[in-house]
Amino acid sequence: QVQFVESGGGLVQPGGSLRLSCAASGRIFRNYAMGWYRQAPGKQRELVARISSGGSTNYADSVKGRFTISRDNTKNTVDLQMNSLKPEDTAVYYCNYALPGPKYWGQGTQVTVSS
């Protein structure tokens, strides 16, 4: 079992950047694929970025080329670098396992992109 704590969100103007961080505790997660999810107002939660245990990455089409996911297995952290932010990126962002099975969600971190 792992608990995730997300941080780094905030208010940013369109075209700006943010770096989100996820700290995991409770268990080592180096053997598991990890992902960043987001839930926008009135929308279902969606997986926007995934990184495998070996470091391979995948992105939703909506963020491809703008977001970069990375992990540090020594520190049990997963980061999401977000560039060229758009208003439609506004959401609560969560980190979690990116694999089948039940998810236990933390509080997430709010990202608001607005001028």
Side-chain angles (χ1 to χ4, degrees), residues 37-68:
Y37 300 76
R38 70 185 182 189
Q39 187 165 27
K43 300 287 187 178
Q44 291 185 310
R45 184 154 33 208
E46 63 174 339
L47 177 66
V48 298
R50 180 186 188 274
I51 185 166
S52 74
S53 60
S56 298
T57 59
N58 298 94
Y59 301 93
D61 287 343
S62 59
V63 308
K64 193 172 298 181
R66 300 187 297 119
F67 290 10
T68 303

Side-chain angles (χ1 to χ4, degrees), residues 4-6 21-23 34-37 78 93-97 104-106 108:
F4 304 106
V5 179
E6 302 92 345
S21 295
C22 172
M34 295 294 300
W36 279 95
Y37 300 76
V78 182
Y93 284 72
Y94 306 85
C95 64
N96 214 310
Y97 297 116
Y104 300 91
W105 303 100

Side-chain angles (χ1 to χ4, degrees), residues 6-21 36-41 48 63 66-67 80-94 107-114:
E6 302 92 345
S7 63
L11 176 64
V12 65
Q13 295 183 28
S17 298
L18 283 173
R19 188 176 183 90
L20 307 183
S21 295
W36 279 95
Y37 300 76
R38 70 185 182 189
Q39 187 165 27
V48 298
V63 308
R66 300 187 297 119
F67 290 10
L80 185 69
Q81 178 66 47
M82 306 186 296
N83 298 325
S84 302
L85 284 162
K86 305 174 181 180
E88 50 263 45
D89 295 319
T90 295
V92 179
Y93 284 72
Y94 306 85
Q107 292 298 304
T109 185
Q110 176 71 50
V111 172
T112 302
V113 185
S114 177

